[in-house]
Amino acid sequence: DTKHAIEVIEWWLRNMGENNKLPEDFPLEAVLSAMKWIMTHNIFEWGDMYFLQLLGTAMGTSAAVMWATIYYAYHEVHTLIPTHGHHILYFKRFIDDIFGIWIGNTTTDWNAFCKDVNNFGILKWDIEEQTPTTTVNFLDLTLTIEEKRIVSKTFQKEMNLYLYIPSASAHPKVCIKGTIFGLIQRYYTQNTYREDYIH
């Protein structure tokens, strides 16, 4: 919800300013004004028509990821961690992917956490596992707890388009070789078991 996000981010930035947590001479009013303008005046084209986006993050703007990250971080810092932090051994979020290690009970406490995750504006998270599990896909990894150790392997979504530089591209050949080498090196690093790396 654009209006809710503007309010939340403004609260947070003003609070940081009041507590001297922003850099000296930070142009707070200019940042808030630019944020409101960009997020409420996003015009996009589809076919031969133009639309004014009324709801949601202004996609396509360089501020979109930062905006979304700061918006939900407010909820994490002010609700999730204070309320449920004692049940979370590890908690990390990368934009819209959350990875955590839950050590609380898997009934009432877990259900309360899931409810609170989705109790912030109109944003709703898709929690893959309704109960904690020993295997999870996070970004491009599948992480599994096996005999008291963490095992990893490369995870690729079914809809992965594999959009690499085509061989007929005008890029220097070293770019194509670098892509291949980089991918092989990444697969080697990501996979605990050799058979997963070879696959």
Side-chain angles (χ1 to χ4, degrees):
D1 180 352
T2 308
K3 184 175 183 292
H4 186 239
I6 287 171
E7 289 172 358
V8 166
I9 294 171
E10 184 171 352
W11 292 335
W12 201 355
L13 288 176
R14 288 197 187 282
N15 182 264
M16 289 178 70
E18 291 164 6
N19 291 302
N20 298 318
K21 293 183 178 179
L22 292 176
E24 193 175 322
D25 299 326
F26 184 80
L28 180 59
E29 295 308 320
V31 168
L32 293 174
S33 178
M35 171 186 75
K36 291 173 187 173
W37 179 262
I38 291 168
M39 293 302 164
T40 59
H41 292 81
N42 189 41
I43 297 174
F44 59 94
E45 179 182 2
W46 189 68
D48 62 348
M49 297 179 287
Y50 292 87
F51 296 88
L52 172 64
Q53 183 173 342
L54 300 176
L55 186 64
T57 301
M59 300 310 294
T61 178
S62 59
V65 172
M66 196 179 335
W67 158 274
T69 300
I70 292 171
Y71 170 67
Y72 199 73
Y74 183 90
H75 185 54
E76 291 171 341
V77 168
H78 290 89
T79 301
L80 296 182
I81 302 305
T83 306
H84 306 284
H86 59 288
H87 295 304
I88 303 170
L89 181 64
Y90 186 82
F91 183 91
K92 292 292 177 186
R93 177 171 57 89
F94 181 73
I95 306 169
D96 62 349
D97 288 301
I98 297 174
F99 175 77
I101 298 175
W102 183 262
I103 56 173
N105 74 55
T106 57
T107 53
T108 54
D109 293 336
W110 173 252
N111 292 334
F113 173 74
C114 292
K115 184 178 177 184
D116 280 347
V117 164
N118 281 322
N119 190 20
F120 188 64
I122 61 171
L123 179 67
K124 299 298 174 217
W125 291 80
D126 179 20
I127 300 171
E128 283 187 17
E129 299 292 336
Q130 292 304 314
T131 57
T133 179
T134 57
T135 298
V136 66
N137 297 323
F138 181 68
L139 302 175
D140 61 348
L141 288 175
T142 297
L143 301 170
T144 305
I145 298 174
E146 262 183 29
E147 299 175 9
K148 297 186 180 182
R149 72 179 187 143
I150 297 175
V151 172
S152 64
K153 71 178 186 177
T154 303
F155 170 71
Q156 296 174 331
K157 294 181 179 178
E158 288 181 26
M159 299 299 290
N160 190 342
L161 299 177
Y162 302 97
L163 299 175
Y164 306 124
I165 299 171
S167 58
S169 167
H171 284 79
K173 293 298 176 197
V174 71
C175 288
I176 294 170
K177 289 180 182 177
T179 299
I180 294 168
F181 178 79
L183 287 170
I184 290 171
Q185 188 176 39
R186 180 168 61 108
Y187 296 148
Y188 181 80
T189 304
Q190 289 179 332
N191 291 281
T192 303
Y193 297 124
R194 182 170 175 79
E195 57 268 25
D196 292 327
Y197 163 66
I198 291 169
H199 173 73

